[in-house]
Amino acid sequence: MKILKLLNKKNLSIFFILFIGHISYAEDKPVDIWNIDKEKTEISSSSNQTTVEQTPEKKNSVTDIYKMQSQKKSISIELDKDLKDKKIKIIGLYDPEDYGLDINMWSNSDGDQLRNIFNKLSKLNLSMDAKEIMKIALLTNAHVPKKNISSDEFLKFRSDWLIKNSDLELIEEYLIKNQILNLHPELTKFLINKHLSEFNIKKACQIFFKNSEPLNDEYLSKFNIYCLISENKKDEAQLIYDLKKELGILKDEYFEKKINFLLGYSSKVDNSISEKTILDFHLAHKTNSNFFFEPKENTSKIIWKYLSSANLLNSFQQIKISELDKISVLEKATHNKNYSENDLFNIYKRFQFNINQLLNADEAYKSLSSIESRALIYQKILLVSEVVEKLKLLKILKNSFENDDIGLAFDTKLKEFLNVIEPTDVPDNLTSFYYTNITLKKKLEKEVKFNNDVLHQSKLINYFNGDYSKSKIEKDVNNFLKKIKKNKKYFFSKRDQIYLESLKFDGIEISKKYDDLYQVDASEIPTDIQVMINNNEKGTVLLRIVEVIGQDKLDRIDDDTIYFIINTLNQLNIDLLRNKLLLKVLPLKV
């Protein structure tokens, strides 16, 4: 396998250059990260000189590689730094103009404030509305902040949020569009490990096929090599592996054994199984046709997920009901969503109970172990038809799981039981349990219905869709206000005020004779946000708005909060994002 040692010095130089320039098999573009043309000339010259002046038959080619690598490092460090700085300045997915932002939206932001806000946001389960604003804030193309914060730290905040949000398609788009696998190795690892844990090797390898940069991270390099083999590009995989190994980048005996087998250099099956990484575990499975692994309580969640996705948990189907320790492991795995609830409850059905235990299950379960008691209660639930009794048993069973800190093991199954029970059949003492655990049917997306008797619900809101010229909206709004002025019964609401002030910020001229319809309360914007507005800290302000919205939906937030959010966006001239929010909160929807 040591093909490098069979190459003469000239060929070695050529292969090394090809490796650097052609390491990405997605695009045949040379990567000038190590100043290849200059090096190529120097190496060729050196090679010719050696041929004429000396014939060192025992010259160590590995040493030459190290020398070349050392020379390249001194050049590449500076180049990498320059390239990195250039990339860090503008990395994202969205054009600033798409949302009324600009490329300097973070320029005035302070790192101390950002740390504080990011720390708070990391503890929140954001609503879809809040996530949408967060995505716009973090992924709009803009220079990164520099005051009291490093570029790496800010990018880590972005990476951490993407991981928590766990939108795999968004992560892949972000990494590939910007070609930043090296800049975000942990984010890249999260993406490929997630796909591999779902036994989707093709999806896991896809990101490498779209990458056009040499990989620096050891784990990503190993994954890349395996992906080449899985695509039957063994020669390329072998060359890259040999070069990385000779350069000292890869030093992993376990990986070497598995790769040698996959490349056909070894026919001996290595039965060792490593759980160090999901790739290590997958290689053990891939290289052994008789692979068998029985997870334990301390087996990581990602390995459980892989076993479940790859249908490698079949051994538990033959589990004996006397093996309570193994059933306990399965309960915890079910709680972590790594084992099927149906399979767990099928095991419960195999327990044997006498007629007296089944008839008096609501008392008999107290004298049994936790697992046996859950099996007994579940069997009794399947036997009863009376709604109230069934609800009582369901509550007992749910409490049993929660008392052992595995409440999510009885989640989907519980909802299935509750969904066939009519709310009118639920007694008052079980109403809270019923509504806490049932999945309410999602209402269809409501349609906008115009109410031309109310300003903020009238057709005039179509201005924020771009449907009105300035002259027409001015005329129609002033006419509408004229009618309001005459109508003594009309209540000028906060949302009317929000609508009207947004028009004014856009330069729409409203007659001063309507100024007395409402009173502006400038104090409604929190002080810290007003300071950020005054300092034009657009990025930080968006994060604070996300924090304010939190886990709430925009259409459920009180009018005063909506007012300050819209007023904030108005003051910062973030019109397009403001328009999106206005069209969510102002119209009447039925």
Side-chain angles (χ1 to χ4, degrees), residues 304-333:
W304 269 102
K305 181 66 176 177
Y306 179 91
L307 292 168
S308 177
S309 302
N311 295 318
L312 294 174
L313 293 173
N314 295 332
S315 62
F316 283 110
Q317 293 178 357
Q318 306 301 322
I319 195 171
K320 297 178 181 178
I321 59 175
S322 60
E323 297 177 296
L324 297 182
D325 56 336
K326 290 186 178 182
I327 296 175
S328 176
V329 170
L330 290 181
E331 287 182 330
K332 291 176 181 177

Side-chain angles (χ1 to χ4, degrees), residues 88-111 113-114 117-118 132-147 149 154 158 529 531-546 568-569 572-575 577:
I88 287 175
K89 289 178 182 177
I90 304 177
I91 295 177
L93 289 178
Y94 312 124
D95 191 315
E97 294 182 357
D98 291 343
Y99 298 99
L101 296 167
D102 62 76
I103 204 168
N104 294 311
M105 58 185 283
W106 297 103
S107 296
N108 297 329
S109 297
D110 182 86
Q113 283 184 324
L114 290 175
I117 297 173
F118 276 119
E132 184 64 24
I133 299 174
M134 187 76 166
K135 185 168 66 172
I136 292 169
L138 291 183
L139 297 180
T140 292
N141 291 306
H143 300 299
V144 299
K146 294 183 178 180
K147 184 179 179 181
I149 189 171
F154 180 77
R158 181 185 287 177
I529 294 182
V531 171
M532 294 175 192
I533 293 172
N534 297 340
N535 199 34
N536 198 33
E537 298 178 46
K538 291 184 178 180
T540 312
V541 167
L542 290 181
L543 296 184
R544 280 288 282 117
I545 289 175
V546 170
T568 297
L569 297 176
L572 287 170
N573 294 318
I574 307 178
D575 297 342
L577 177 57

